[in-house]
Each structure stands twice: as C-alpha cells, then as structure tokens.
C-alpha cells in the first residue's frame, strides 16, 4: 500500500507493509508495488545500492522478509538518460592511436553522464573527438571507459576506442597490477602527516550509513563491504616541527583495489584527510587559521580535494608495448604545494 505523497520525503516513495505481505521477499513485493515502472532486477539493484530503507534503516539484501506494520521507503532512480551526444569540449591528449586515447583530465570534468551531469562530460567530449565508432564500446552511458577519476580529481586517464582495447584494459584494471604491468600513482596533499614514512591502509569500504552519496570504512562482515587496500608513501612534509609532526604533507598513493573515493576515505580514516575535501575533511578546514595571513586563504579555500593522478603505466593491448604517462601538477595543485613549502620549520 502506497503512502500519500505528504507522508513521503521528496525523491522517495513510501509503502506501508500490510498483514497480507508479511513474510514476502522485499524485492518481489516492491516490484509489485511499483509495476510496471520498475522491473524486479532494477529493484534488486536499487536495494543493493543502499536506496531502500525499512523503518528508516538501510536494507541491502533483496530477499529480506517483510514484517507487517513496517514502512518501506524507496529512493526513486533518475529516469534513464538518452544516449550521450557529441559535444565539442577541449581535451588535453597525451597519446592517441587507433586503439586508445590517453588524456590529462582537468579537475571539474565529470568522466561519464550521471545524475545531475547528463552533458558536459568526458564521454560527450570523446564521442565528438572519436566519432560514432566509440559509442558502442563499453555500454551506451560510458563508451570506452575502463577506469574513472572523480570529478574534482585531475590527471592521467586512458579510454578504449574499440572492443579489443576495452577488454584488455578492463582486465588490467580489474587486476590492479597484481599480475600484470599496470601501474598507477596518485599524489595527494594531506592535513598533517601520517605516523610512518610509508604504510598500508587495509580497511573495507561501503556506503555511509548517514549519507548515501558518501563511502565509509565499514565492518568486514557487512553485506556491502568491499575489500580496499591503499599503499602510501610520504613524499614531502610542510611546516615541520621539532617533534617530527608537520602542518601538511604530500603523499604518493598506489591502489591495490579501486573503490569509489578510496584514497579520500582511507586517508581520512587514518586521521589525515585531503586538503580541500569538503566531503571527508571539512572539519579540518579550520586548521588553516594557524597559518600566516598570506598563506591562510589559499589553503583554507582550496576549491577541490587535493588529489592528482600523476602516473599511469599499462601494456598496449595490440602492440604489447609498455606505455607510461606522467601528468604534471595542474596550476592549482602546484600553487598549493608551493604555498605550503613557504611554511617555516620549527
């Protein structure tokens, strides 16, 4: 039974579970409530994505059994977008041949269309640059995309231009360099400095229980927990003190897994979130008040998470050649590093 709109939160549908539905599978029952708009498989994907709650608690198992008298809320998905269209967006191309294209992605560019970003993405730019041949690779919404960078993360990214390259590169990224030649390195500017020169963060990630757009370190046994491992090494410390602490640090991160927001969440988990990260490090912004006036505003107001995909190496899917690309810091990241280098050491 659907609850009147006045009792449902905007963007959600609410359904009261009657006596006749007690013991029924959640996915089966919700599919019946929403038919014909949402299929059962679509309902299952929405549940696993963390967008269904029973009496306010997220439920991730589609076959969960219903209890009479409870209230089920369903986050209604965005309508399926039309096929991405070509858009003339300038690209910084590091390499291109008939099989693949490597770009230096600027901060602010979304990789593929999604909620709130149906146009103006890298995919729209690639369809314009590469022509119709790209549109069938890797699915309609994300042609040729084998890995991604967050919107506000800059740096090296490779895109496949045909099925051969898509299969080979997808396999390489799925393996994360454990058995192959794939190598990725990110540079991040952190608040403070990790306790050791190099370390490993091995902590499973899942959807945040308080905000479905965020990720968090979660217990290993939780249904949505995903294995996540980040290796880090300190590159430089800024504003060092006699007690071996520092105001900020530049670290290199290498991923053993590729989870959403992995570096950002893992660095925050060890107490050193990225400068500029308003999602996982907002509380640290006031640390900038300790800086000299001429440095304070630039650090406090850095407009994005200070994360840059510095290095990408992989084996060419056709020629078998090892390709290696490095992207210089963009101007905002470089200015942040240079500003922090001006901090006095005690």
């Amino acid at each position: 039974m659907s609850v009147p709109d006045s009792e449902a939160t905007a963007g959600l549908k609410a359904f009261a579970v009657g006596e006749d539905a007690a013991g029924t599978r959640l996915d089966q029952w919700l599919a019946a409530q929403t038919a014909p708009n949402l299929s059962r498989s679509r309902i299952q994907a929405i549940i696993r994505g963390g967008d269904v709650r029973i009496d306010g608690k997220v439920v991730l198992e589609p076959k969960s059994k219903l209890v009479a008298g409870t209230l089920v809320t369903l986050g209604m998905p965005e309508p399926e977008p039309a096929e991405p269209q070509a858009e003339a967006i300038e690209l910084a191309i590091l390499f291109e041949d008939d099989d693949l294209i490597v770009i230096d992605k600027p901060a602010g560019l979304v990789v593929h269309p999604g909620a709130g970003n149906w146009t103006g993405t890298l995919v729209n730019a690639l369809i314009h640059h590469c022509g119709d041949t790209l549109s069938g690779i890797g699915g309609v919404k994300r042609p040729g995309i084998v890995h991604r960078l967050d919107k506000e993360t800059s740096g090296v990214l490779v895109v496949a231009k045909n099925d051969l390259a898509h299969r080979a590169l997808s396999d390489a990224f799925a393996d994360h360099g454990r058995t192959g030649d794939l190598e990725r390195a990110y540079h991040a500017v952190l608040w403070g400095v990790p306790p050791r020169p190099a370390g490993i963060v091995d902590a499973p990630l899942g959807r945040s229980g308080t905000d479905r757009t965020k990720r968090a370190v979660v217990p290993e046994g939780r249904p949505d927990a995903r294995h996540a491992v980040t290796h880090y090494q300190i590159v430089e410390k800024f504003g060092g003190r006699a007690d071996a602490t520092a105001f900020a640090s530049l670290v290199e991160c290498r991923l053993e897994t590729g989870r959403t927001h992995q570096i950002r969440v893992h660095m925050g988990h060890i107490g050193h979130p990225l400068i500029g990260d308003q999602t996982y490090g907002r509380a640290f912004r006031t640390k900038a008040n300790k800086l000299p006036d001429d440095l304070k505003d630039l650090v406090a107001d850095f407009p994005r998470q200070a994360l840059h995909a510095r290095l990408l190496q992989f084996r060419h899917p056709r020629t078998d050649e090892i390709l290696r690309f490095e992207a210089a810091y963009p101007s905002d990241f470089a200015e942040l590093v240079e500003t922090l280098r001006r901090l006095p050491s005690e």
Side-chain angles (χ1 to χ4, degrees):
M1 178 178 69
S2 180
V3 174
D5 288 343
S6 60
E7 299 180 34
T9 304
L12 299 176
K13 276 286 190 180
F15 305 91
V17 180
E19 294 288 346
D20 58 338
T24 304
R25 278 180 57 133
L26 174 62
D27 59 344
Q28 181 181 7
W29 183 77
L30 271 180
Q33 305 306 306
T34 58
N37 296 321
L38 297 175
S39 67
R40 187 167 169 180
S41 61
R42 183 76 176 110
I43 288 288
Q44 290 173 344
I46 294 171
I47 293 170
R48 293 189 179 102
D51 292 325
V52 172
R53 296 173 182 258
I54 297 180
D55 285 347
K57 183 178 180 181
V58 174
V59 179
L60 299 168
E61 180 49 66
K63 61 184 178 183
S64 297
K65 295 301 195 306
L66 294 171
V67 176
T70 54
L71 184 69
V72 177
T73 53
L74 167 69
M76 296 300 291
E78 294 281 344
E80 289 294 312
E83 182 174 342
Q85 300 299 306
E87 295 181 45
I89 300 170
E90 185 177 356
L91 296 174
I93 299 172
L94 302 178
F95 175 86
E96 182 177 13
D97 64 10
D98 291 340
D99 296 300
L100 53 88
I101 180 170
V102 181
I103 71 160
D104 184 356
K105 188 189 89 65
L109 180 64
V110 175
V111 171
H112 53 72
N117 295 288
W118 301 123
T119 62
T121 73
L122 174 61
V123 163
N124 299 110
L126 289 168
I127 292 174
H128 179 270
H129 179 80
C130 301
D132 294 338
T133 56
L134 187 70
S135 62
I137 308 302
V140 172
K141 291 185 189 177
R142 52 181 82 183
I145 303 300
V146 294
H147 70 123
R148 55 165 287 179
L149 299 176
D150 291 341
K151 176 183 176 180
E152 299 300 342
T153 299
S154 55
V156 191
L157 185 144
V158 61
V159 177
K161 295 173 69 173
N162 54 48
D163 284 325
L164 179 146
H166 191 267
R167 285 194 300 270
L169 291 172
S170 294
D171 289 345
F173 277 92
D175 182 66
H176 295 285
R178 286 185 287 267
T179 61
D181 301 292
L182 182 74
E183 186 178 342
R184 288 189 290 172
Y186 297 77
H187 279 196
V189 183
L190 311 183
W191 292 109
V193 58
R196 293 180 297 278
I200 300 173
V201 184
D202 185 347
L205 301 182
R207 192 179 292 275
S208 168
T210 58
D211 184 342
R212 67 190 185 92
T213 66
K214 295 172 63 175
R215 296 298 187 271
V217 171
V218 300
E220 191 169 347
R222 213 173 84 168
D224 69 327
R226 298 292 181 266
H227 181 56
V229 180
T230 302
H231 299 255
Y232 73 84
Q233 182 170 352
I234 297 172
V235 176
E236 189 172 352
K237 299 178 185 180
F238 307 110
R241 298 182 178 90
D243 61 1
T245 62
F247 178 82
S249 56
L250 176 67
V251 301
E252 181 172 284
C253 294
R254 294 178 181 250
L255 303 181
E256 201 172 301
T257 55
R259 308 303 179 194
T260 300
H261 299 175
Q262 179 173 320
I263 292 173
R264 299 165 63 190
V265 177
H266 271 174
M267 294 300 101
H269 179 64
I270 64 173
H272 301 284
L274 277 62
I275 286 179
D277 193 336
Q278 296 303 305
T279 301
Y280 301 105
R282 181 188 297 271
F284 280 69
R285 186 173 180 270
T286 56
K287 285 173 63 70
N289 293 333
K290 300 176 182 179
L291 294 173
D293 289 342
D294 60 332
L295 307 181
K296 178 168 58 179
D297 289 344
L298 188 145
V299 176
D301 297 333
F302 194 70
R304 64 180 180 100
Q305 67 264 9
L307 183 61
H308 177 66
R310 181 68 182 268
L311 167 71
L312 176 62
Q313 174 185 290
F314 57 90
R315 185 176 293 275
H316 193 287
R318 189 180 301 275
T319 68
D320 217 31
E321 178 186 2
I322 297 293
L323 302 179
R324 187 178 180 90
F325 302 95
E326 294 189 35
Y329 294 157
S331 58
D332 63 342
F333 195 100
E335 184 180 9
L336 176 64
V337 170
E338 287 303 317
T339 296
L340 291 169
R341 283 174 177 158
R342 289 157 50 195
L343 289 175
S345 296
E346 296 181 5

